[in-house]
Amino acid sequence: MSASRGKFNSRIGFILAAAGSAVGLGNIWGFPTQAAGNGGAAFVLMYLILAFCLAYPAFMAELIIGRHGQANAVESLRKVSKDGWQKKFAFIVGFGGILCAALLMSFYSIVAGWMLAFTAEPITTLVGATDTSNWLTAQSTSRNLIFTLIFTLLTVFIISRGVENGIERWSKRLMPALVALLVSLTVYVLTLDGAMDGLKAYLIPDFSQLFEPSLIVSALGQAFFSLSLGTSVIIIYGSYVAKNENLVSLGASVTLIDVFIAFLAGLLIIPAMYVAAAQGVQIFDANGALISGDTLVLTVLPALFDGMGSVGVIVALAFFALMSIASLTSSISMLEAPVSYTVERFGIARNTATMVIGALIFATSCLIIFNFNTLFGFVIALTTQYGQPIIGMLCCIFVGWIWHRSSLLEELKSGNEHVENQLFWKIWPWYTKLVCPVAIALVFIHSL
Ligand code: PHE
């Protein structure tokens, strides 16, 4: 079976695909929104600390498990386990991650659908189709169903084409487009009145807030979500990495890109909010805190774009296209997790597996759309607050406590001969074994 497995054809292909998975609504929406809601720069600082000290080591754990296993998440975890309870445990963790990825996609594609609808809106406004524009931007079951379906179909299309022709090719096209859009928008917004106040709020930390427990919990959750951890996604992408690649530097590159893009998105969104304020848009809530959540992206920013006149149409289009692209490169990784498992475990053709699983995920999205008030927040909390940290922590436990140290070293040496003498090997194994699980568990228990 391994002969027919897909594989990333180039180092840059993997980096862009994994960074594509990592960079998504979490970076461009979640990170700035959370920063806005948690004291601005203090959150940014804590996020940077946790991303490098906890999320990166956990990311490495998943990446190495995948590259060693050269198989879907369940098989890869089973390969590092001994017979008996360990194999069962491997199944639970691997399958749990796959389920988590599928559930994540069911709400993610609804939000991504909003992004597509908001991308279409400037066009319908330009041609004078006011009714359509109103429909596109107002919450409704019909709009949500249609755009979730379109987004799911786009994802299914890419995943059905496989690793090289689907994931790698599309990540290579979409990621540079995303960076170009993000940089141009940021440069433009920073030239507008009010942007400098936003920049100060974003970059000058209020240290008194730094150790607020709620800030730490949010920052860790955000870091795990952003690096796509605890969903078996990094395991499966790792399994498509060639044996002669240096995993330590690959993982570091992806983490750096992810953090950099989140930081850049903050440079765009927070100043944009203050520009909106300078134009009379309400950006603080009743308690004096910056508005966050969907009001920020779906109300404050469109109000800002409206205030810009005709150039605002182009800026709005660019901004929501950026959001849509970022969502797509993430959702393809979510769908790949269950698809790769089904293809390898049951020997089903990739096309069929992709379509069946895509349909099941869309059915779940429909269930959420029809019971929006009860299910939407619930599924988000279930997957991002519970599923991802728990499974991410269990992957660290696999690497630290179950996988034999010499076999782990051998895997790392493949593509990085001298790793044994590097700082990474001196710190990471015990760090992943002791510090990561305890720290993640502490933050998790606290969040309960
Ligand atoms: N990392 C993605 C984002 O920031 C979300 C994601 C989570 C993707 C889990 C895959 C798996 O939007």
Side-chain angles (χ1 to χ4, degrees):
M1 187 166 300
S2 62
S4 63
R5 285 194 96 235
K7 168 169 152 308
F8 289 116
N9 275 327
S10 61
R11 185 178 168 80
I12 188 71
F14 167 78
I15 292 180
L16 289 183
S21 166
V23 173
L25 294 174
N27 302 58
I28 304 175
W29 174 327
F31 176 76
T33 316
Q34 297 244 25
N38 282 295
F43 179 86
V44 178
L45 191 61
M46 184 48 77
Y47 177 79
L48 292 178
I49 296 174
L50 292 179
F52 288 111
C53 297
L54 282 182
Y56 168 68
F59 183 90
M60 287 309 297
E62 295 193 19
L63 190 62
I64 299 175
I65 292 173
R67 215 258 315 247
H68 176 75
Q70 297 284 305
N72 64 79
V74 170
E75 249 343 281
S76 293
L77 282 161
R78 283 169 67 89
K79 274 193 192 158
V80 298
S81 321
K82 294 196 193 70
D83 283 342
W85 68 270
Q86 290 190 356
K87 295 267 188 221
K88 294 200 183 83
F89 187 45
F91 175 81
I92 294 171
V93 175
F95 198 73
I98 290 170
L99 266 184
C100 189
L103 261 182
L104 261 164
M105 184 169 157
S106 68
F107 83 78
Y108 203 83
S109 48
I110 300 176
V111 182
W114 299 344
M115 299 302 116
L116 286 181
F118 273 74
T119 311
E121 187 270 339
I123 303 168
T124 52
T125 302
L126 213 58
V127 299
T130 321
D131 286 348
T132 315
S133 295
N134 292 340
W135 175 75
L136 286 170
T137 52
Q139 277 294 2
S140 72
T141 305
S142 61
R143 183 208 60 181
N144 287 349
L145 283 176
I146 291 174
F147 280 91
T148 304
L149 179 64
I150 297 176
F151 185 80
T152 309
L153 287 176
L154 284 173
T155 310
V156 163
F157 166 75
I158 297 180
I159 286 303
S160 65
R161 321 221 60 176
V163 181
E164 302 90 325
N165 293 328
I167 302 175
E168 181 164 359
R169 173 177 299 172
W170 281 91
S171 302
K172 276 184 172 165
R173 287 179 183 163
L174 296 175
M175 286 303 284
L178 180 133
V179 175
L181 273 177
L182 187 57
V183 171
S184 350
L185 274 171
T186 309
V187 171
Y188 175 68
V189 165
L190 287 179
T191 62
L192 302 177
D193 277 350
M196 288 308 131
D197 290 334
L199 212 52
K200 278 190 209 138
Y202 184 52
L203 295 179
I204 303 175
D206 168 3
F207 285 104
S208 67
Q209 292 205 28
L210 193 60
F211 294 105
E212 282 282 329
S214 63
L215 183 148
I216 300 181
V217 173
S218 307
L220 185 70
Q222 177 60 29
F224 264 62
F225 180 73
S226 190
L227 275 174
S228 309
L229 298 176
T231 53
S232 80
V233 159
I234 301 305
I235 301 186
I236 189 68
Y237 274 22
S239 78
Y240 299 138
V241 172
K243 286 283 186 189
N244 59 359
E245 294 290 359
N246 178 341
L247 290 179
V248 178
S249 65
L250 274 185
S253 315
V254 175
T255 309
L256 280 173
I257 296 178
D258 184 53
V259 169
F260 173 71
I261 301 239
F263 184 75
L264 201 61
L267 276 184
L268 166 68
I269 306 262
I270 310 274
M273 290 180 82
Y274 281 78
V275 172
Q279 297 178 358
V281 179
Q282 179 71 26
I283 65 163
F284 295 100
D285 62 19
N287 303 323
L290 274 175
I291 283 176
S292 52
D294 53 356
T295 331
L296 166 58
V297 177
L298 303 179
T299 314
V300 174
L301 295 178
L304 165 71
F305 303 145
D306 273 351
M308 290 175 174
S310 50
V311 68
V313 177
I314 297 166
V315 178
L317 187 83
F319 177 76
F320 286 108
L322 168 84
M323 297 290 249
S324 307
I325 293 174
S327 316
L328 192 56
T329 53
S330 296
S331 67
I332 56 181
S333 70
M334 294 172 196
L335 184 57
E336 179 63 12
V339 166
S340 60
Y341 174 70
T342 315
V343 168
E344 289 173 10
R345 172 74 179 76
F346 302 106
I348 298 175
R350 177 174 266 272
N351 259 330
T352 320
T354 313
M355 258 156 339
V356 172
I357 294 170
L360 285 174
I361 292 178
F362 179 66
T364 315
S365 305
C366 291
L367 204 66
I368 300 177
I369 291 173
F370 284 118
N371 302 283
F372 198 82
N373 292 337
T374 28
L375 286 185
F376 186 66
F378 172 74
V379 175
I380 295 183
L382 184 70
T383 48
T384 63
Q385 284 175 16
Y386 300 96
Q388 288 194 273
I390 295 180
I391 295 167
M393 181 178 75
L394 293 176
C395 287
C396 291
I397 292 180
F398 256 95
V399 163
W401 298 90
I402 294 182
W403 194 352
H404 204 280
R405 199 178 146 93
S406 57
S407 157
L408 176 62
L409 177 60
E410 203 180 310
E411 184 56 47
L412 273 166
K413 272 187 169 171
S414 160
N416 186 4
E417 240 180 278
H418 305 295
V419 71
E420 215 170 338
N421 309 318
Q422 291 167 359
L423 196 62
F424 181 82
W425 182 251
K426 299 206 165 88
I427 297 176
W428 179 79
W430 63 262
Y431 192 87
T432 315
K433 182 170 185 157
L434 300 168
V435 181
C436 287
V438 174
I440 298 168
L442 281 180
V443 175
F444 179 69
I445 290 168
H446 181 88
S447 77
L448 294 177

